[in-house]
Amino acid sequence: MDKQQLLTLIEGKSDTEIKEILDKNFGITWDRFDRSCKSWYAKVFTYCNAEQLERELNYFLWLVNLFAPLFHVYFQEEETVFVGCSCHCGTKKLILYYSLTPLK
């Protein structure tokens, strides 16, 4: 689903419906954490080439920045950590560790 398709899909939906769409399609369930402190998450990207990784990473960061306010959390890209590896079968993976902080 590209950005425009997602925006069209959520148009006119309630916050609850949008959260369900994000959970179902992207595994984003940020409203299930302790709101008194920062929470850390991990997202794994499997890719074949740098262009594919860049597309997937840009899309995910767009999702985070667009929908974090809906969950009343703050995302700071400067606090992200990237760990990459190549599996013995030739598959490349990148693990993105990122944090969300409750808005006060």
Side-chain angles (χ1 to χ4, degrees), residues 62-80:
W62 174 79
L63 282 172
V64 171
N65 283 303
L66 183 65
F67 292 108
L70 175 67
F71 292 91
H72 306 290
V73 294
Y74 175 68
F75 168 71
Q76 226 173 332
E77 193 167 343
E78 297 82 22
E79 293 185 359
T80 58

Side-chain angles (χ1 to χ4, degrees), residues 1 3 6-11 14-15 17-19 21-22 26 28 30-31 59-75 100 103:
M1 174 178 325
K3 293 177 183 178
L6 177 60
L7 293 173
T8 301
L9 178 64
I10 65 170
E11 189 175 339
S14 70
D15 287 356
E17 291 170 319
I18 293 172
K19 288 178 180 181
I21 290 168
L22 294 174
F26 305 103
I28 294 175
W30 298 325
D31 57 351
Y59 187 75
F60 180 73
L61 293 175
W62 174 79
L63 282 172
V64 171
N65 283 303
L66 183 65
F67 292 108
L70 175 67
F71 292 91
H72 306 290
V73 294
Y74 175 68
F75 168 71
L100 297 175
L103 290 174

Side-chain angles (χ1 to χ4, degrees), residues 47-62:
Y47 62 99
C48 296
N49 56 52
E51 292 82 22
Q52 181 185 14
L53 174 61
E54 183 178 8
R55 270 193 320 273
E56 290 181 25
L57 191 56
N58 284 340
Y59 187 75
F60 180 73
L61 293 175
W62 174 79

Side-chain angles (χ1 to χ4, degrees), residues 41-47 53 57 60 80-87 92-98:
Y41 295 86
K43 173 74 174 162
V44 177
F45 297 89
T46 303
Y47 62 99
L53 174 61
L57 191 56
F60 180 73
T80 58
V81 178
F82 299 89
V83 178
C85 68
S86 294
C87 300
K92 299 174 186 173
K93 293 187 185 245
L94 179 122
I95 304 169
L96 169 67
Y97 294 99
Y98 64 101

Side-chain angles (χ1 to χ4, degrees), residues 16 23 59:
T16 302
D23 185 14
Y59 187 75

